[in-house]
């Protein structure tokens, strides 16, 4: 065999390339509240980990996870 065939055969393809860029949200996430009152989730109305004074959409951990699954790259 020639040198190019041997070097190609020994090349390892262990690096992972993501074809989908991570989605950026509207801004930084608010800090979780230490004590209540907590904001209600806009999808299921369960309490979230964020204070009521948080502006924008607040999601509980379950809905946040489901939203991440829906928007993740499926390929």
């Amino acid at each position: 065999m020639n040198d190019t065939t041997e070097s190609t055969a020994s090349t390892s393809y262990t690096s992972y390339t993501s074809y989908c860029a991570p989605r950026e949200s509207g801004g930084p996430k608010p800090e979780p509240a230490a004590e209540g009152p907590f904001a209600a989730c806009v999808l299921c109305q369960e309490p979230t980990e964020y204070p009521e004074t948080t502006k924008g959409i607040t999601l509980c951990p379950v809905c946040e996870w489901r939203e991440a699954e829906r928007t993740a790259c499926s390929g």
Side-chain angles (χ1 to χ4, degrees):
M1 294 187 146
N2 60 27
D3 290 334
T4 56
T5 305
E6 289 176 12
S7 65
T8 305
S10 65
T11 302
S12 175
Y13 293 101
T14 58
S15 65
Y16 175 74
T17 302
S18 175
Y19 294 102
C20 295
R23 299 187 84 180
E24 295 295 325
S25 62
K29 285 192 161 195
E31 290 295 320
E35 294 183 10
F38 297 102
C41 176
V42 296
L43 299 176
C44 69
Q45 301 306 313
E46 291 292 320
T48 66
E49 56 189 19
Y50 305 111
E52 278 187 341
T53 58
T54 302
K55 295 179 182 179
I57 296 174
T58 54
L59 298 174
C60 69
V62 173
C63 291
E64 207 169 304
W65 182 269
R66 289 181 182 156
E67 185 66 23
E69 287 179 326
R70 278 193 291 274
T71 60
C73 177
S74 62

